[in-house]
């Protein structure tokens, strides 16, 4: 009988998946120098209106999501010329995600090395501590805040060379409804793939920005305004602590829906927003009258001026940003920079519009220094920052978890979950 081949994750390309409300993207990359990567390939599967499997950062249909994940990874494997990609790192966000500080303490009795196994065990304890208090929630990610070795505080994760008797690990836990984690695990199981590790989206974005601009931005304090299709989120961070994490269930999709109400199709509204949309009338360089097809019910054409288009967009932007800017003002004095990012952040005039709402320095978050100079320009766009940040954190994870075996869900497990999902969908 042929011997079953054992495969380790280290032998595979780094693969990141971003489960967005508008599309599911996957990126494969390889490290070519410290904090420098070459993109091997990217694949994307847009979600269809009326058949969304991810909404507001949450997987709502695990069977459909599993199919999309399998399809994207199959296409990506073909693109980069490998038989298959059995595992991936995942970035998650979502409207219901909240944060809380948590810590673990270990007395090793005598001074000895602070092993990765010990740190992993302490991290698991923090996760279990939160979930045992509230069975309805699941910890989606734990971000290191600081450590204490024999009473001496340090920001960096302990290295294998460090020794201590008393070890303290302090984390910021991102948690949400248990369904978020359950649906994520089921989706990958049904896709016949495994999750190498899950990161939270604020961590992937901040890691990318700090690597490109320097860790001083984290110590001085910064915030990230992340424009998605169905959600817009604000995260503020300083010196190892998350000051806030606020999500509103509205994004670029809702701006398009508001434009659609003028009597045009969703597709036409999306084109208008992307090609001619501005964040406010003040940033419209020339007022142009655009003739566009009306919906079949109305018939004929409509004429929409670019200033009118900007006025409509500004109304929805004000609605989206008002609760976020209110939260930002509470921590504004403690931070210096506001990054804007996400697929909806490239609207004309958005940077200046947001700058008018805050005293902070406002700039686009960049990840270009993490990618080799031969990278296609389109992958330098903010909509790919989370993927690149996930690749960066994925490599860090592999560096500390070497020779980790690739675990694949079994056939009977996949069949059982698919059958259960069919029953749930039908009911």
């Amino acid at each position: 009988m042929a011997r079953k081949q054992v495969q380790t994750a280290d032998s595979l390309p780094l693969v990141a998946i971003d489960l967005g409300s508008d599309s599911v993207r996957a990126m494969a990359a390889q490290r070519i120098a410290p904090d420098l990567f070459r993109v091997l390939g990217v694949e994307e599967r847009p979600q269809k209106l009326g058949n969304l499997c991810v909404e507001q950062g949450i997987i709502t249909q695990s069977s459909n999501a599993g199919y999309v994940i399998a399809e994207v990874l199959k296409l990506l494997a073909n693109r980069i010329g490998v038989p298959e990609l059995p595992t991936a790192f995942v970035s998650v966000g979502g409207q219901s995600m909240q944060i809380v500080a948590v810590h673990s303490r270990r007395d090793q009795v005598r001074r000895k090395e602070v092993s990765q196994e010990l740190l992993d065990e302490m991290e698991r304890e923090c996760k279990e501590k939160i979930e045992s208090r509230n069975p309805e929630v699941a910890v989606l990610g734990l971000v290191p805040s600081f450590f204490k070795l024999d009473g001496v505080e340090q920001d960096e994760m302990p290295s294998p060379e460090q020794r201590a008797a008393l070890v303290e690990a302090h984390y910021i836990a991102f948690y949400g409804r248990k369904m978020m984690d359950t649906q994520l695990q089921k989706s990958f199981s049904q896709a016949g793939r495994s999750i190498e590790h899950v990161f939270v989206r604020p961590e992937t974005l901040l890691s990318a920005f700090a690597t490109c601009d320097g860790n001083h931005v984290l110590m001085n304090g910064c915030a990230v305004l992340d424009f998605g299709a169905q959600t817009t989120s604000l995260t503020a961070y300083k010196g190892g602590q998350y000051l806030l994490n606020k999500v509103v269930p509205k994004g670029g999709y809702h701006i398009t829906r508001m434009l659609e109400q003028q009597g045009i199709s969703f597709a036409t509204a999306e084109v208008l927003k992307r090609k001619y949309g501005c964040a406010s009338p003040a940033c419209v360089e020339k007022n142009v009258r655009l003739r566009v097809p009306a919906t079949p019910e109305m018939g004929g054409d409509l004429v929409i001026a670019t200033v009118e288009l900007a006025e409509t967009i500004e109304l929805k932007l004000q609605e989206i940003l008002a609760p976020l800017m209110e939260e930002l003002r509470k921590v504004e004095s403690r931070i210096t920079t506001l990054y804007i990012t996400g697929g909806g952040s490239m609207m004309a005039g958005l940077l200046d519009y947001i700058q008018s709402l805050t005293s902070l320095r406002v700039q686009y978050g960049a990840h270009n220094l993490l990618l080799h100079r031969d990278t296609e320009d389109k992958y330098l766009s903010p909509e790919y920052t989370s993927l690149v940040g996930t690749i960066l954190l994925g490599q860090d994870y592999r560096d500390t978890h070497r020779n980790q075996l690739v675990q694949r869900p079994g056939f009977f497990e996949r069949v059982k979950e698919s059958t259960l999902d069919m029953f749930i969908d039908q009911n």
Side-chain angles (χ1 to χ4, degrees):
M1 181 182 291
R3 203 177 213 179
K4 187 175 180 180
Q5 190 173 13
V6 177
Q7 189 175 29
T8 63
D10 293 347
S11 64
L12 298 167
L14 292 156
V15 176
I17 285 188
D18 188 6
L19 299 168
S21 299
D22 60 340
S23 65
V24 174
R25 291 191 181 96
M27 173 182 285
Q30 63 178 169
R31 180 168 61 181
I32 54 177
D35 294 338
L36 184 64
F37 300 86
R38 173 173 282 115
V39 175
L40 303 177
V42 176
E43 285 293 342
E44 179 176 356
R45 183 72 181 266
Q47 291 205 70
K48 295 180 181 179
L49 289 175
N51 190 31
L52 300 178
C53 58
V54 181
E55 298 184 58
Q56 297 180 359
I58 300 173
I59 294 175
T60 53
Q61 299 181 36
S62 59
S63 55
N64 286 357
Y67 172 78
V68 173
I69 290 168
E71 188 69 14
V72 167
L73 291 179
K74 180 181 178 181
L75 292 171
L76 185 58
N78 290 338
R79 177 174 291 277
I80 67 176
V82 298
E84 68 169 347
L85 295 169
T87 186
F89 294 99
V90 188
S91 171
V92 298
Q95 182 188 353
S96 66
M97 198 164 66
Q98 300 181 57
I99 56 176
V100 66
V102 63
H103 72 277
S104 177
R105 190 170 183 265
R106 284 288 188 282
D107 187 347
Q108 301 195 99
V109 182
R110 59 183 177 82
R111 281 175 56 83
K112 58 182 179 179
E113 71 170 16
V114 183
S115 67
Q116 186 60 49
E117 290 75 14
L118 175 66
L119 294 173
D120 288 346
E121 182 183 315
M122 295 173 76
E123 188 173 324
R124 282 193 298 272
E125 180 188 280
C126 288
K127 181 176 185 293
E128 291 166 1
K129 189 185 298 184
I130 294 171
E131 293 178 345
S132 63
R133 290 173 184 168
N134 188 349
E136 299 301 315
V137 307
V139 173
L140 304 171
L142 282 165
V143 180
S145 180
F146 64 93
F147 299 85
K148 281 187 179 180
L149 303 185
D150 291 333
V152 179
E153 186 174 315
Q154 64 181 54
D155 295 328
E156 303 81 16
M157 184 174 290
S159 67
E161 293 76 28
Q162 289 185 284
R163 304 173 70 84
L166 190 61
V167 182
E168 288 184 33
H170 293 253
Y171 299 92
I172 299 296
F174 285 79
Y175 67 94
R177 285 179 290 171
K178 193 169 186 178
M179 182 190 74
M180 293 177 67
D181 183 59
T182 302
Q183 294 287 73
L184 179 65
Q185 300 295 336
K186 285 173 62 176
S187 297
F188 270 80
S189 178
Q190 289 170 0
R193 307 298 198 276
S194 65
I195 299 174
E196 198 163 341
H197 196 71
V198 176
F199 302 105
V200 289
R201 189 175 174 92
E203 183 188 13
T204 63
L205 295 172
L206 283 168
S207 296
F209 301 153
T211 305
C212 289
D213 291 349
N215 284 325
H216 65 276
V217 301
L218 300 182
M219 300 309 297
N220 294 337
C222 63
V224 178
L225 193 56
D226 183 14
F227 286 87
Q230 291 193 2
T231 58
T232 304
S233 63
L234 175 69
T235 302
Y237 182 95
K238 182 173 184 175
Q241 293 292 326
Y242 280 87
L243 307 179
L244 68 89
N245 183 69
K246 171 87 173 175
V247 183
V248 296
K250 295 173 184 175
Y253 169 85
H254 300 87
I255 294 176
T256 306
R257 279 296 190 201
M258 193 166 182
L259 296 175
E260 183 187 24
Q261 291 173 12
Q262 299 187 36
I264 57 180
S265 69
F266 184 89
T268 300
E270 184 70 15
V271 170
L272 281 178
K273 182 186 74 174
R274 289 176 178 269
K275 195 171 181 180
Y276 303 102
C278 288
S280 73
C283 68
V284 177
E285 294 182 2
K286 183 179 180 181
N287 190 21
V288 178
R289 293 170 64 83
L290 305 168
R291 185 176 294 276
V292 297
T295 58
E297 294 79 14
M298 294 187 63
D301 293 338
L302 290 177
V303 176
I304 300 176
T306 49
V307 166
E308 295 171 354
L309 185 66
E311 288 172 348
T312 304
I313 290 172
E314 185 179 31
L315 280 174
K316 183 56 72 172
L317 271 178
Q318 289 173 345
E319 184 183 322
I320 293 170
L321 293 175
L324 297 176
M325 301 310 293
E326 183 181 347
E327 291 297 317
L328 182 62
R329 280 188 281 273
K330 296 176 183 178
V331 300
E332 208 168 24
S333 62
R334 301 175 61 186
I335 61 180
T336 61
T337 305
L338 174 62
Y339 290 105
I340 59 174
T341 190
S345 67
M346 297 304 291
M347 180 181 292
L350 185 61
L351 189 75
D352 291 337
Y353 179 75
I354 294 174
Q355 184 66 80
S356 70
L357 303 176
T358 177
S359 61
L360 298 171
R361 180 177 69 251
V362 182
Q363 66 184 73
Y364 280 106
H367 59 265
N368 58 305
L369 296 182
L370 287 166
L371 301 179
H372 190 266
R373 61 177 180 272
D374 65 3
T375 302
E376 291 183 52
D377 287 344
K378 65 181 179 180
Y379 298 138
L380 304 181
S381 170
E383 60 190 311
Y384 292 97
T385 302
S386 182
L387 278 173
V388 174
T390 303
I391 292 288
L392 173 67
L393 293 178
Q395 184 63 67
D396 290 344
Y397 179 83
R398 282 190 180 177
D399 288 343
T400 56
H401 297 80
R402 295 199 175 277
N403 301 318
Q404 183 168 284
L405 299 180
V406 174
Q407 303 292 332
R408 297 289 294 270
F411 171 77
F412 291 106
E413 181 184 3
R414 298 200 302 274
V415 169
K416 178 182 177 182
E417 290 179 351
S418 296
T419 305
L420 178 60
D421 267 8
M422 288 173 62
F423 176 78
I424 291 172
D425 291 343
Q426 289 172 1
N427 285 271

